[in-house]
Amino acid sequence: MIIAHTLSELHSALGASSKRVFVPTMGNLHAGHLQLIRQAKALCQQPNELTVASIFVNRLQFAPHEDFDQYPRTFDNDCELLRATGCDVVFAPNETLMYPQAQTYTVHPPAELADLWEGHFRPGFFTGVCTVVMKLFHMVNPSTAIFGKKDFQQWKVLEQMVRQMAMPIEILGCPIERSKDGLALSSRNGYLSETQKLQALALQGQLRAVAQFVKAKERGFKAQSKLGMDALNANGWRVDYLAVCQQSDLQEVDLWGAEDLVILAAATLGSTRLIDNIEVQLTERTLTL
Ligand code: AMP
């Protein structure tokens, strides 16, 4: 595995590869990230097809009150995990390489998708994400990039960016990796105490309860989501949103129309903000008429 810190190191590592499957990360890797690497590796069967990961904590996507300075940086351990998983190239640019001057040119995703949910509660977040991912794409020049469906809205926003900007990159989503008791793996889980880790299972619990309701009922999804939010708020959480949405445009729905749904949630426990979601496919719907 080659570790590249500069563009010339990156370009010589990429060489004349015919295919690059890229997994951008902010490091502090866990089994969720490694699933993305495994999915990438499965697409790279020939010797000149490379799995590339990046590690860069992107200041641009953190609001001033968020945890940029505190965000865990575990570079050596990350490289060990990537090596053991069979990653070919790690690109780890420093701040000066990514942002040699103030980043005044930025990528603004459309409000109707990016000002919803995460974008509403984290203004500027998706601009920061799109800007860094666009820059990483220019540097790595991947044929495919893989993003986790844990950040479902981020995956959708980036998929649309690539399509609308006619970037010749295939965007794939990777299923959410969870602990055996169901907690979605996240670098931010490290901020939770052992007691909070148990409490944190309630977020997935409420998502599942809403998913069961959605599968069994024709309508009334908003009221059911509100019940889920109330239950969490009554148990020490501060819920930002819990909503049943169409997968295509992430608009909230109260009844099931003709497409697959996703139930999105974000809530803070103590001082740790967690996000999670559950997809519900049209084929899972039980008609009660
Ligand atoms: P991050 O380092 O948090 O920016 O995450 C890098 C990539 O890993 C993103 O595409 C995330 O959606 C993905 N990811 C993080 N946690 C998980 C998880 N538990 N399951 C699947 N993908 C994940």
Side-chain angles (χ1 to χ4, degrees):
M1 186 180 80
I2 298 174
I3 300 174
H5 291 284
T6 65
L7 279 182
S8 64
E9 285 169 357
L10 175 67
H11 292 147
S12 71
L14 296 176
S17 47
S18 61
K19 176 173 173 183
R20 297 148 192 193
V21 184
F22 181 38
V23 177
T25 82
M26 297 204 299
N28 192 232
L29 303 185
H30 51 64
H33 298 109
L34 300 179
Q35 271 305 101
L36 275 67
I37 300 292
R38 284 191 199 97
Q39 188 173 334
K41 262 187 79 63
L43 297 172
C44 296
Q45 300 295 339
Q46 305 301 322
N48 59 348
E49 299 178 343
L50 297 178
T51 299
V52 184
S54 65
I55 297 179
F56 179 68
V57 185
N58 176 36
R59 183 187 290 278
L60 230 57
Q61 71 194 63
F62 288 77
H65 66 277
E66 290 181 340
D67 55 345
F68 176 76
D69 290 326
Q70 199 196 343
Y71 199 85
R73 289 155 172 90
T74 51
F75 185 70
D76 291 342
N77 191 53
D78 293 345
C79 288
E80 280 313 305
L81 291 172
L82 289 170
R83 187 175 285 116
T85 314
C87 182
D88 299 304
V89 179
V90 181
F91 178 43
N94 65 15
E95 184 91 6
T96 318
L97 175 54
M98 283 311 286
Y99 299 123
Q101 48 195 169
Q103 188 71 31
T104 50
Y105 281 62
T106 48
V107 181
H108 287 267
E112 64 264 24
L113 183 60
D115 287 2
L116 294 170
W117 316 121
E118 280 304 278
H120 177 76
F121 288 94
R122 303 182 70 188
F125 171 71
F126 286 118
T127 295
V129 168
C130 287
T131 304
V132 79
V133 169
M134 173 86 92
K135 292 186 81 158
L136 287 166
F137 281 177
H138 288 317
M139 292 170 173
V140 173
N141 193 18
S143 19
T144 301
I146 304 181
F147 295 90
K149 291 202 212 173
K150 173 174 170 292
D151 301 279
F152 196 94
Q153 188 178 8
Q154 169 175 281
W155 170 51
K156 286 284 162 194
V157 166
L158 292 168
E159 194 179 51
Q160 292 292 330
M161 176 183 86
V162 161
R163 192 175 301 156
Q164 288 206 10
M165 294 299 183
M167 301 169 86
I169 303 169
E170 174 190 37
I171 300 293
L172 299 179
C174 179
I176 302 177
E177 185 76 11
R178 300 180 180 280
S179 68
K180 59 179 183 312
D181 41 14
L183 184 63
L185 298 184
S186 164
S187 301
R188 290 191 168 98
N189 292 352
Y191 300 150
L192 298 170
S193 67
E194 288 309 310
T195 317
Q196 284 176 324
K197 277 187 186 146
L198 288 176
Q199 257 184 296
L201 300 177
L203 183 60
Q204 166 67 190
Q206 288 302 333
L207 278 168
R208 273 201 233 160
V210 176
Q212 286 312 321
F213 181 92
V214 165
K215 284 180 204 172
K217 294 276 179 359
E218 276 285 290
R219 60 189 68 242
F221 302 163
K222 288 185 182 176
Q224 192 63 27
S225 303
K226 168 88 170 46
L227 288 179
M229 283 195 273
D230 291 347
L232 289 168
N233 282 326
N235 280 290
W237 293 78
R238 290 188 311 285
V239 182
D240 286 344
Y241 57 84
L242 193 166
V244 181
C245 303
Q246 305 191 125
Q247 288 196 13
S248 60
D249 57 6
L250 302 190
Q251 290 295 324
E252 185 171 15
V253 291
D254 195 45
L255 73 164
W256 209 336
E259 67 162 288
D260 293 340
L261 302 178
V262 58
I263 307 163
L264 302 173
T268 302
L269 188 60
S271 54
T272 307
R273 188 172 181 280
L274 301 176
I275 67 171
D276 199 353
N277 67 75
I278 291 188
E279 292 176 56
V280 192
Q281 320 296 340
L282 203 48
T283 47
E284 294 174 302
R285 181 178 177 184
T286 318
L287 279 176
T288 52
L289 289 175

